[in-house]
């Protein structure tokens, strides 16, 4: 990820916030509708892949990212969850399950799979993240 990515991502976050505040369509929908929208985008990604249409793939992945983040903002609005906490949770989960990302040495597929499984099992025992 480079600075250009983060610049564009900031613009997207701004659009998301404005969508929550000013878009009549977004005001009228809920998380269930948003999930259906996201599901449609996944199907469109599958279609683009099946046609090997890379330009369309690029578009549809963007649509899914937008829908996923809009789902987050709608859930924040409707269920008073914290976007910050959602991001912090996933960062914590992936950091815990993929410690090799932060190691100097390379990790084999087998070792990574073993660690992932062990950490996931440990999390379940603690009653934390199940997925
Ligand atoms: Mg689309």
């Amino acid at each position: 990820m480079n600075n250009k990515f983060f610049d564009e991502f900031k613009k997207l976050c701004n659009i998301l916030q404005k969508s929550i505040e000013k878009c009549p369509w977004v005001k009228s929908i809920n998380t269930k509708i948003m999930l259906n929208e996201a599901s449609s985008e996944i199907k469109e990604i599958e279609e683009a892949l099946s046609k090997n249409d890379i330009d369309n793939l690029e578009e549809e992945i963007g649509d899914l990212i937008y829908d996923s983040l809009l789902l987050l903002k709608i859930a924040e609005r409707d269920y008073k969850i914290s976007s910050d906490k959602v991001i912090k949770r996933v960062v914590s989960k992936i950091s815990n399950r993929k410690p090799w990302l932060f190691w100097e040495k390379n990790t084999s597929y087998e070792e990574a799979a073993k660690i992932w499984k062990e950490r996931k099992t440990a999390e379940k025992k603690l009653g934390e993240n199940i997925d």
Side-chain angles (χ1 to χ4, degrees):
M1 310 285 172
N2 56 32
N3 285 342
K4 223 173 183 179
F5 172 85
F6 290 113
D7 289 347
E8 293 302 321
F9 196 77
K10 275 184 192 171
K11 289 179 195 171
L12 180 60
C13 290
N14 188 38
I15 288 169
L16 285 160
Q17 189 58 40
K18 286 190 183 307
S19 294
I20 289 290
E21 294 167 3
K22 300 175 82 171
C23 178
W25 180 75
V26 171
K27 283 181 180 178
S28 75
I29 63 168
N30 56 28
T31 51
K32 191 176 177 189
I33 292 169
M34 211 49 239
L35 273 177
N36 288 335
E37 293 291 324
S39 293
S40 296
E41 298 307 337
I42 290 170
K43 288 181 187 118
E44 290 171 8
I45 290 170
E46 288 171 343
E47 279 178 37
L49 284 169
S50 71
K51 293 175 186 166
N52 201 29
D53 185 342
I54 305 307
D55 183 59
N56 190 232
L57 177 65
E58 200 174 70
E59 179 185 349
E60 300 307 341
I61 289 174
D63 289 351
L64 180 62
I65 290 168
Y66 175 74
D67 280 1
S68 299
L69 292 172
L70 192 53
L71 174 65
L72 171 62
K73 296 301 290 180
I74 290 170
E76 185 176 56
R77 179 194 70 196
D78 295 352
Y79 299 99
K80 309 299 176 218
I81 65 168
S82 158
S83 293
D84 297 350
K85 191 176 171 191
V86 168
I87 301 302
K88 189 175 176 183
R89 261 179 104 155
V90 72
V91 167
S92 176
K93 180 193 277 187
I94 301 303
S95 299
N96 180 54
R97 290 188 187 178
K98 295 187 172 188
W100 61 87
L101 299 179
F102 310 100
W103 296 345
E104 289 294 322
K105 67 170 185 135
N106 290 329
T107 307
S108 68
Y109 179 92
E110 291 76 18
E111 186 182 8
K114 182 176 173 281
I115 293 168
W116 174 274
K117 194 175 175 186
E118 286 171 357
R119 300 248 169 146
K120 190 173 173 180
T121 302
E123 286 171 8
K124 280 184 183 175
K125 282 182 185 164
L126 290 171
E128 292 179 3
N129 309 307
I130 310 292
D131 297 326

